Amino acid sequence: MNTQLNDSLSQQWFTKFKYICVPLLEKSQLSAGTIATVLPLLSNLESTLLDASGTGFTLSQSLVSYIFFPLSTILRRNESSAIPDQILEKIFGVLAILCETWWWYCDIQIWDQIFKLSSSIIGGVEGKGKGKVRDDETKEAAARCLWAILRERRAEEAPQESPEELLHTRVSQLQAHSQSLQFIPILGQTINTLILTAKSPYLPLQRISLKILRALISVYASEQFLPSILPGVVSSMTRIALGMSSKKGWVNGDIVALSLGTLEPVIVRSLGDDISIREGVVRRVVDLEDFINLADAPAGDPKPLELPPYLTPRTSSWLRAAILASTYLTLPQSRPLLLSWLLSLSNHSFPEVSQAAHRALSELLAATSHARLPLLQALLEISKENLSSLPRSIVSQDDTKVEHIAGQIEAICQLATSSSTSSTGLGLTSISLGIDTLLGPTGGIEKWGFTLLSVLEFTSPQMSVSQGSVAQLLLEDNEDSMDTINFPEAMLKNVLTRSTRDALARMLRALGRSSGENSIYAVEWFVSIGRYSRTNNAIAALCLDEGGMAISSGPRSRKLERFARGLARDLAELWDEEPDFNSQTDTPRTDRQTDDSLLKTEFTKGFKTIRVTLQVAEPRTTLPTLSEDQPILHKIFRLQLLSISAGILQARYASVLIQVLYPVLHSIVSPTPYLSLTGLATLHFMSAVMSYASPANLLLSNFDYALDSVSRRLSRRWLDVDATKVMVVLVRLVGADVVQKAGDVVEECFDRLDEYHGYEVIVQGLVGVLGEVVKVIEAEEPPTQKESQDDMQSSMITSSLEPLFEWLSHRKDLPSHEDAADHVPAPHRAWGTAKADEDLVEKQSDGPTTQPKIAEDAEPAPTPGQALTKQMVSRSIYFLTHASPDIRARILNLLSSATPVLPESALLPPIHLAWPFILNRLNDAEPFVVSAAAGLVESLVTHVGSFMGRRVWDDIWPRFGNILKKLDASDDQNALARRGYGAVGTESAYTHSHRLYRSILRTMTAAVAGVHMQNASGWQVILAFRRFLHKQAHEELQACARELYVALGRGNEDAVWLALMATFAYLREYRWDIQDNVRVILNE
């Protein structure tokens, strides 16, 4: 049934091809009239063949011969130069489709003729002479036809019901023909032609030419012929891969891949170890018998065999003129070069490239590979050369070479890492032992370590600089919402690109990871340099130390944990020693002058001046001066090492927190932005690795450690001025939970105030700590319930006279429930109640089971926060008369923050006692002190208006009037004052005058709402603050002034209306434009 179906299908396709081939045969003699007919027929034939192959129909041998006949007739009956390019292009397209099937059973002579025809068209050597130059599209069609008869085929592509050995038999036949003496010149000419077309700017022709070249060299060219074409092919493919043959100077990636793919077979088959060993050029030495045979081998080259023309014999002298694995004996000089690039590719960013390189390395270094031992030796040589050349490359600022070297060392370390056997490494113990030796006691780190340290010079990280520490800015109001903070990255002076810095960092980590605990000796050596050296080497040593500490990523042993614990303690002690970098001395070092490769590398620019002197000796050069950033960089790397040690110890890090917490907090309060940010990042990292939810939880759990470390640095034996700043940031970081620990902080502050009350800096810092505690308590404590203050002004205003008229009309009427008769005085209780009964009731109420009755108006017991605030207020008011204006202002701010926290019974006595001092502060010479005093008065009026009652109008308002006059005079001379006709205040909202204006306005707003105001004082207030309604005043001051006048209007609406409207009449001020604000006030 299937046979009948196939025959029917073949008959249908034969009919279709017949309608095309018969007219094509009739018009085989091309002329100007027949070309227009032949071209559509060829196009129709090509499309029909494509349709047939698309349906899965396989052309039989007879049908292929039937279709080929009109094509061959056209080629025979017409001169090649007379056939147009379009006709020829279509013919080659049809032949390429036919050869996909015909290749399996066509005659060798037909294969030979198609090969010669396609090659002649590509090379332009049709017939005798130079031939006709065809266009690139025609050459591409001829090349595709050639590719159809040369490409390597799989056994699955063989025709059905064909023998299994058909593919091998067919390839052997074609190889025998192509390697014959008669065909070798044609093959050589074709390869030469394809090399030329491989440089064509027409990309399709270039791609197909490179594919054909690889197929010819891999399958059809003989091994004796390949040495003859090796120089030309290697030279041309190299130029193509490097883009030297292109006008652009570069080529696409697929062209590079195809050119390198052509290089591989020509080198392997020409210089491979297998063919060279067979011909006696080299010998493989594996066992002792091979050594004996090697000794018996003749010293000179044997007499070469007589070979036919075009072939080259392989000799040892000629030899000296997947390449790496197949030529490790014949090309020993190529091992380091090719292996280095393979190592670099294993670190490529594209996974496809890196995985392919890893697979190649795995095959090369596998236990079954003959190239394993020579390549392992080459790896060790590469490592040694790279480490010795790395300092010179760094100091010469050759980032590309530095990145290349670092990537190679990293790749070698990955091969040595046993944990990565299944993915990225092989676990090569020989490489691991070499790295252990390099980083161990016998590795000569005292020699090569100094050379590497001398070229690593760091500079400050690049980041924006702002007033105050970055950590303090991050802690403002959002300490609970901060994400993970990254460590700022220090910059290398001689390394310009970020990718190179990352490559160096990965290299150092890879060295530490591959060596494991054996690198602890190198880490200890770098730590000693970083601790005791006073040069740039100290900073570089700590940086290299971080790379060595990458051993923390592996399993942790007691030795490693013991080292990390000791490292943390030693680094914490450096904050107390503060090394002097101005003393540029170094630790004793070994004699390095005996090794030329370890001499100090210098890179200079410019001209060297010639000394006009008879002195032979060169003058001693002065040591370079260190920049001011070097101590800061030293601390930054110390903090990063503390973070790494915390990552090693994790929960066991708690034993060293008593030494470590103060250095970290001390760095957070640093005025240097990148040091402050590093300290905060260190604290966050320590909290995370120790399994704390936040830094606040870490500090709260170890609050006693932190407070003890601060206290020890506030003693007479050991005084650190920044200790108070550390205490401030400690309180701020812990937040609301510090209330339960704040008692110790307050006691410590007041003890130190008693001891250092004469030292302004220390007193200022301690008062700042108290203020921070009060702020935390203020945010935590709910506002106290003050006495409700009725609006006294509103209660005195009568909005209607109807109640008066009602009273007048009924003022003489008696109440309905009262008796009009006049009675004599009468007792108010029943007769007969004895006093004894009252005593009995009282005795019963005093029984043991009766609970004491609590008065309804009794105040509740103070909370711990309120009690602590009361203590701070009562003990700090004496500092209101301190000589330092900063301290006076801080105390006033402290009292302002404490006002909403304390109840009246606890707040008013100390305020009453300090009232004269507060009034004196309103006359202070420093504007910021006056502003702080006005802020305190504002807070008092807002929260305890009944207490402030007459004090506002008798004591405060006269002083406010004087202050306003002084501010008017000072604004005229202030550079920040607003410029313009009638302008009021300053441009910025952060000046002391602006804050003082704002406090005065808010104080008077609260006063007029909660305190009875006399008419005279009220009129003065209404007139004094009109200036702030001017539209040229600051927007915030305009808003405060509107609130003030609205409050004044509730008490005396007529007076406010009169004053504001009179401003446009007999009280007119031409400088002020207050119409818009007046309209808003009157509408309200």
Side-chain angles (χ1 to χ4, degrees), residues 721 724 749-750 752-754 756-772 872-873 875-896 917-918 921 924 926 928-933 936 992:
V721 178
T724 56
C749 289
F750 282 112
R752 295 298 180 264
L753 282 173
D754 294 339
Y756 299 108
H757 60 273
Y759 298 91
E760 179 180 339
V761 177
I762 300 178
V763 174
Q764 182 178 347
L766 293 172
V767 173
V769 175
L770 296 176
E772 194 66 34
M872 287 187 285
V873 169
R875 298 183 63 176
S876 61
I877 59 176
Y878 304 102
F879 289 93
L880 286 173
T881 59
H882 198 277
S884 173
D886 292 331
I887 296 175
R888 297 197 297 268
R890 287 178 181 269
I891 294 297
L892 290 169
N893 292 329
L894 185 148
L895 295 176
S896 301
F917 307 135
I918 297 174
R921 298 289 71 80
D924 201 284
E926 297 294 337
F928 62 90
V929 178
V930 179
S931 178
L936 173 58
H992 293 300

Side-chain angles (χ1 to χ4, degrees), residues 52 249 430:
S430 58

Side-chain angles (χ1 to χ4, degrees), residues 352-380:
E352 294 82 0
V353 178
S354 60
Q355 291 173 4
H358 280 304
R359 287 194 298 269
L361 286 171
S362 301
E363 296 173 359
L364 290 173
L365 301 175
T368 57
S369 175
H370 296 292
R372 175 185 174 89
L373 295 179
L375 294 181
L376 284 176
Q377 184 179 2
L379 283 176
L380 296 177

Side-chain angles (χ1 to χ4, degrees), residues 598-896:
L598 298 176
L599 294 177
K600 183 177 180 181
T601 306
E602 294 183 356
F603 181 75
T604 59
K605 294 181 179 180
F607 299 96
K608 182 177 180 181
T609 58
I610 300 176
R611 298 182 301 111
V612 184
T613 178
L614 297 177
Q615 296 179 1
V616 179
E618 291 282 343
R620 178 177 296 181
T621 58
T622 59
L623 292 175
T625 57
L626 298 178
S627 63
E628 298 178 356
D629 294 335
Q630 299 306 313
I632 303 299
L633 291 171
H634 199 268
K635 290 182 180 180
I636 286 177
F637 288 125
R638 277 187 264 160
L639 288 171
Q640 294 180 6
L641 286 175
L642 288 177
S643 302
I644 296 175
S645 62
I648 296 174
L649 295 174
Q650 296 183 354
R652 296 185 179 92
Y653 200 64
S655 60
V656 296
L657 280 180
I658 191 171
Q659 290 93 5
V660 170
L661 275 180
Y662 185 82
V664 175
L665 296 175
H666 185 274
S667 302
I668 292 177
V669 300
S670 171
T672 306
Y674 37 88
L675 178 58
S676 178
L677 187 59
T678 304
L680 190 60
T682 302
L683 184 62
H684 274 260
F685 183 82
M686 289 167 51
S687 304
V689 298
M690 295 181 68
S691 302
Y692 285 99
S694 65
N697 293 340
L698 169 66
L699 295 175
L700 185 62
S701 301
N702 301 275
F703 195 84
D704 294 336
Y705 284 169
L707 186 60
D708 177 70
S709 62
V710 175
S711 300
R712 285 188 286 109
R713 288 167 175 82
L714 284 175
S715 61
R716 291 187 178 274
R717 185 183 63 87
W718 191 1
L719 182 60
D720 185 0
V721 178
D722 293 332
T724 56
K725 298 179 182 178
V726 173
M727 195 178 297
V728 170
V729 79
L730 175 63
V731 173
R732 186 175 300 174
L733 282 168
V734 175
D737 295 329
V738 80
V739 176
Q740 54 185 312
K741 302 284 187 179
D744 298 335
V745 177
V746 173
E747 287 296 334
E748 183 68 29
C749 289
F750 282 112
D751 290 344
R752 295 298 180 264
L753 282 173
D754 294 339
E755 190 173 0
Y756 299 108
H757 60 273
Y759 298 91
E760 179 180 339
V761 177
I762 300 178
V763 174
Q764 182 178 347
L766 293 172
V767 173
V769 175
L770 296 176
E772 194 66 34
V773 173
V774 172
K775 289 180 181 178
V776 173
I777 296 176
E778 181 184 4
E780 180 67 15
E781 290 287 335
T784 57
Q785 298 294 330
K786 311 290 184 181
E787 287 187 21
S788 59
Q789 300 291 337
D790 295 333
D791 193 347
M792 299 179 62
Q793 299 287 353
S794 300
S795 63
M796 298 179 62
I797 299 301
T798 301
S799 59
S800 176
L801 295 179
E802 290 296 332
L804 176 61
F805 297 149
E806 181 71 20
W807 177 80
L808 287 174
S809 61
H810 300 283
R811 67 183 185 279
K812 295 182 180 182
D813 296 344
L814 293 176
S816 59
H817 63 277
E818 293 185 2
D819 190 2
D822 186 13
H823 299 282
V824 297
H828 295 281
R829 59 185 177 184
W831 295 98
T833 301
K835 188 176 185 301
D837 296 338
E838 296 179 2
D839 297 339
L840 180 61
V841 174
E842 291 180 1
K843 290 180 180 180
Q844 290 178 357
S845 64
D846 294 336
T849 59
T850 303
Q851 296 294 332
K853 186 177 181 180
I854 302 176
E856 294 181 358
D857 58 347
E859 292 187 358
T863 62
Q866 291 176 343
L868 195 61
T869 306
K870 179 182 178 181
Q871 179 186 3
M872 287 187 285
V873 169
S874 60
R875 298 183 63 176
S876 61
I877 59 176
Y878 304 102
F879 289 93
L880 286 173
T881 59
H882 198 277
S884 173
D886 292 331
I887 296 175
R888 297 197 297 268
R890 287 178 181 269
I891 294 297
L892 290 169
N893 292 329
L894 185 148
L895 295 176
S896 301

Side-chain angles (χ1 to χ4, degrees), residues 6 56 58 104-105 155-163 166:
N6 291 335
T58 303
W104 295 92
Y105 41 75
E156 295 81 4
E157 300 179 24
Q160 296 179 357
E161 299 180 0
S162 60
L166 176 62

Side-chain angles (χ1 to χ4, degrees), residues 454-517:
S454 62
V455 300
L456 294 177
E457 184 175 353
F458 288 87
T459 58
S460 302
Q462 295 180 354
M463 61 183 301
S464 59
V465 179
S466 60
Q467 288 292 85
S469 66
V470 174
Q472 291 177 354
L473 296 177
L474 291 174
L475 291 173
E476 293 292 337
D477 300 329
N478 63 345
E479 59 272 13
D480 296 332
S481 61
M482 284 187 297
D483 297 329
T484 302
I485 300 177
N486 297 324
F487 288 86
E489 183 182 4
M491 310 293 291
L492 274 171
K493 184 177 180 180
N494 294 324
V495 177
L496 305 179
T497 61
R498 182 178 182 84
S499 60
T500 306
R501 295 195 300 270
D502 294 341
L504 286 174
R506 291 195 304 269
M507 179 197 74
L508 294 174
R509 296 191 186 101
L511 284 171
R513 191 181 301 110
S514 61
S515 181
E517 293 185 1

